[in-house]
Amino acid sequence: MGLFLGGAALATLAMTGCGRSDKPAEATPAAAPAAPAAAAEKPANGRAVALTANDTMKFNLAEIHAKPGEALAITLTNEGTIPKFSMGHNFVLLAADVDLAAFTAAAADAPTTEYVPASFRDRILASTKLLGPGESDTARFFAPKTPGHYPFLCAFPGHFQVGMKGELIVE
Ligand SMILES: [Cu+2]
C-alpha cells in the first residue's frame, strides 16, 4: 500500500511537471507590460474595435471615436511577418496631456516591460501586449468620461516617430 501511494505521488509530480513545460509562456511573468493604473476598472465586455498593424509601422486607424465612459474592447492584430524582436507592435492609450516625447524616450528604455514604462503607469489608460507576427491582444477599458483627444501609439522604439500613432476622440 505504501509503495502504491508513493508511486501515485510520483506520477502526480511527473504530470504536474509536464503541464508546466507545455506552457513556457506562462512561466515568464517578468516580461509582462506595466499594468495600467486603471486595471481594476476593466469592463467584462465592450464595443469591439479592430486595430491592425503591419511591417509598414502604421495602424489601420488614425482615429477611434467613443462616447464618454463607453466600454471598449480594442483588439490589435499584428499582420506583419518580421520577427517581434525587430518589429513588435503594441497599443498604448495615454492621458490627453502626456508629453509624448518624454513618454517615447522612457518607453525606449523599458524593453523588460515590453516598452511600456512603469514611470508613466498613472498616465497609461489602456495597453495591449507587445505582439509578434500573427499575434493579437485585446485592451478592455472604459473610455475617459471627459471629452477630448487622447493619444494612442505603438511604444516599440522608433515606431511613434514614423507615424504609428492615432487618437481616441471622446465626444
Ligand atoms: Cu509598432
Side-chain angles (χ1 to χ4, degrees):
M1 194 61 175
L3 280 173
F4 175 78
L5 285 173
L10 280 173
T12 303
L13 281 171
M15 287 171 68
T16 305
C18 285
R20 261 202 300 274
S21 64
D22 285 343
K23 298 177 180 178
E26 292 181 6
T28 54
E41 298 178 45
K42 281 186 182 178
N45 285 297
R47 177 164 59 87
V49 177
L51 195 60
T52 63
N54 58 36
D55 297 338
T56 65
M57 292 174 278
K58 292 282 191 299
F59 288 119
N60 63 317
L61 301 175
E63 294 182 356
I64 298 170
H65 294 259
K67 302 276 185 242
E70 183 179 5
L72 296 172
I74 296 182
T75 299
L76 174 63
T77 302
N78 181 352
E79 297 180 336
T81 59
I82 299 176
K84 180 174 166 179
F85 176 79
S86 53
M87 187 58 77
H89 299 300
N90 61 10
F91 163 85
V92 181
L93 177 68
L94 298 167
D97 60 350
V98 165
D99 179 339
L100 295 176
F103 175 85
T104 53
D109 282 335
T112 59
T113 53
E114 300 191 331
Y115 305 107
V116 179
S119 57
F120 276 80
R121 180 168 296 196
D122 65 343
R123 317 301 292 148
I124 298 168
L125 305 182
S127 64
T128 66
K129 294 185 293 191
L130 188 68
L131 305 172
E135 295 180 333
S136 66
D137 188 33
T138 301
R140 298 177 197 282
F141 61 99
F142 291 105
K145 292 189 174 71
T146 306
H149 291 224
Y150 297 80
F152 67 81
L153 53 79
C154 171
F156 194 93
H159 291 196
F160 167 79
Q161 287 82 351
V162 297
M164 198 162 183
K165 60 184 178 178
E167 284 185 332
L168 175 71
I169 299 175
V170 178
E171 57 194 356

Coordinates of all heavy atoms in Angstrom, one line a residue, residues 53-54 57-59 76 78 87-91 130-131 153-160 162 164, ligand 1:
A53 N -1.9 46.3 -37.4 CA -0.6 46.9 -37.6 C 0.2 45.9 -38.5 O -0.1 44.7 -38.6 CB 0.2 47.0 -36.3
N54 N 1.2 46.4 -39.3 CA 2.0 45.5 -40.1 C 3.4 46.1 -40.2 O 3.8 47.0 -39.4 CB 1.4 45.3 -41.5 CG 1.2 46.6 -42.2 OD1 2.0 47.5 -42.1 ND2 0.1 46.7 -42.9
M57 N 4.7 49.8 -40.2 CA 4.7 50.7 -39.0 C 3.6 51.7 -39.0 O 3.8 52.9 -38.8 CB 6.0 51.3 -38.7 CG 7.1 50.3 -38.3 SD 8.7 51.1 -38.2 CE 9.2 51.1 -39.9
K58 N 2.4 51.3 -39.4 CA 1.2 52.2 -39.3 C 0.0 51.4 -38.8 O -0.1 50.2 -39.0 CB 0.8 52.6 -40.8 CG 1.8 53.6 -41.4 CD 1.7 55.0 -40.9 CE 2.5 56.0 -41.7 NZ 3.9 55.7 -41.7
F59 N -0.8 52.1 -38.0 CA -2.1 51.5 -37.6 C -3.1 51.7 -38.7 O -2.9 52.6 -39.5 CB -2.7 52.2 -36.4 CG -1.9 51.9 -35.1 CD1 -1.3 52.9 -34.4 CD2 -1.9 50.6 -34.5 CE1 -0.7 52.7 -33.2 CE2 -1.2 50.4 -33.3 CZ -0.6 51.4 -32.6
L76 N -5.8 44.6 -31.1 CA -4.8 44.9 -32.1 C -4.2 43.6 -32.6 O -4.0 42.6 -31.9 CB -3.6 45.6 -31.4 CG -2.3 45.8 -32.3 CD1 -2.7 46.7 -33.5 CD2 -1.2 46.5 -31.4
N78 N -1.3 42.0 -35.2 CA -0.1 42.3 -36.0 C -0.1 41.4 -37.2 O 0.1 40.2 -37.1 CB 1.2 42.0 -35.1 CG 2.5 42.2 -35.9 OD1 2.5 42.5 -37.1 ND2 3.6 42.2 -35.2
M87 N 10.4 44.1 -34.9 CA 9.2 44.7 -35.4 C 7.9 44.3 -34.6 O 6.9 43.9 -35.1 CB 8.9 44.3 -36.9 CG 7.8 45.0 -37.7 SD 7.9 46.8 -37.7 CE 9.2 47.0 -39.0
G88 N 8.1 44.5 -33.3 CA 6.9 44.2 -32.4 C 6.0 45.4 -32.4 O 6.4 46.6 -32.7
H89 N 4.7 45.2 -32.1 CA 3.8 46.3 -32.0 C 2.9 46.2 -30.8 O 2.5 45.1 -30.4 CB 2.8 46.3 -33.3 CG 3.6 46.5 -34.6 ND1 4.3 47.6 -34.9 CD2 3.6 45.7 -35.7 CE1 4.8 47.4 -36.1 NE2 4.4 46.3 -36.6
N90 N 2.5 47.3 -30.2 CA 1.5 47.3 -29.2 C 0.6 48.5 -29.4 O 0.8 49.4 -30.2 CB 2.1 47.2 -27.8 CG 3.1 48.4 -27.5 OD1 3.1 49.4 -28.2 ND2 3.8 48.3 -26.4
F91 N -0.4 48.6 -28.5 CA -1.3 49.7 -28.5 C -1.3 50.3 -27.1 O -1.5 49.5 -26.1 CB -2.8 49.2 -28.8 CG -3.9 50.2 -28.4 CD1 -4.2 51.2 -29.3 CD2 -4.5 50.0 -27.2 CE1 -5.3 52.1 -28.9 CE2 -5.5 50.9 -26.8 CZ -5.9 51.9 -27.7
L130 N 2.9 43.4 -26.2 CA 3.7 43.6 -27.4 C 3.5 42.3 -28.3 O 3.7 41.2 -27.8 CB 5.2 43.8 -27.0 CG 6.1 44.2 -28.2 CD1 5.8 45.6 -28.7 CD2 7.6 44.1 -27.7
L131 N 3.2 42.6 -29.6 CA 2.8 41.5 -30.4 C 3.8 41.2 -31.5 O 4.2 42.1 -32.2 CB 1.4 41.8 -31.1 CG 0.3 42.1 -30.1 CD1 -0.9 42.6 -30.8 CD2 0.0 40.9 -29.2
L153 N -0.5 55.1 -29.3 CA 0.7 54.9 -30.1 C 1.2 53.5 -29.9 O 0.7 52.7 -29.0 CB 1.8 55.9 -29.7 CG 2.1 56.0 -28.2 CD1 3.1 54.9 -27.8 CD2 2.8 57.4 -28.0
C154 N 2.2 53.1 -30.8 CA 2.9 51.9 -30.6 C 4.2 52.3 -29.9 O 4.9 53.3 -30.3 CB 3.2 51.2 -31.9 SG 4.4 49.9 -31.7
A155 N 4.5 51.7 -28.8 CA 5.6 52.1 -28.0 C 7.0 51.4 -28.4 O 8.0 51.7 -27.8 CB 5.3 51.8 -26.5
F156 N 6.9 50.6 -29.4 CA 8.2 50.0 -29.8 C 9.1 51.1 -30.3 O 8.6 52.0 -31.0 CB 7.9 49.0 -31.0 CG 9.1 48.1 -31.3 CD1 9.2 46.8 -30.6 CD2 10.1 48.4 -32.1 CE1 10.2 46.0 -30.9 CE2 11.1 47.6 -32.4 CZ 11.2 46.3 -31.8
P157 N 10.4 51.1 -30.0 CA 11.3 52.2 -30.3 C 11.2 52.6 -31.8 O 11.4 51.7 -32.6 CB 12.7 51.6 -29.9 CG 12.4 50.7 -28.8 CD 11.1 50.0 -29.2
G158 N 11.0 53.9 -32.0 CA 11.0 54.4 -33.3 C 9.7 54.4 -34.1 O 9.5 55.1 -35.0
H159 N 8.8 53.6 -33.6 CA 7.5 53.5 -34.4 C 6.6 54.7 -34.3 O 6.0 55.1 -35.3 CB 6.7 52.2 -34.0 CG 7.5 51.0 -34.4 ND1 6.8 49.7 -34.4 CD2 8.7 50.7 -34.8 CE1 7.7 48.8 -34.8 NE2 8.9 49.4 -35.0
F160 N 6.5 55.3 -33.1 CA 5.8 56.6 -33.0 C 6.3 57.6 -33.9 O 5.6 58.3 -34.6 CB 5.8 57.0 -31.5 CG 5.3 58.4 -31.3 CD1 3.9 58.7 -31.3 CD2 6.2 59.5 -31.2 CE1 3.5 60.0 -31.1 CE2 5.8 60.8 -31.0 CZ 4.4 61.1 -31.0
V162 N 7.8 57.4 -36.7 CA 7.4 57.3 -38.2 C 5.9 57.2 -38.4 O 5.5 56.9 -39.5 CB 8.1 56.1 -38.8 CG1 9.6 56.2 -38.7 CG2 7.7 54.8 -38.2
M164 N 3.3 55.7 -36.2 CA 2.5 54.7 -35.7 C 1.8 55.2 -34.4 O 2.1 55.0 -33.3 CB 3.3 53.5 -35.3 CG 2.5 52.2 -35.2 SD 3.4 50.7 -35.3 CE 2.0 49.6 -35.1
Ligands
CU1 CU 4.9 49.2 -33.7

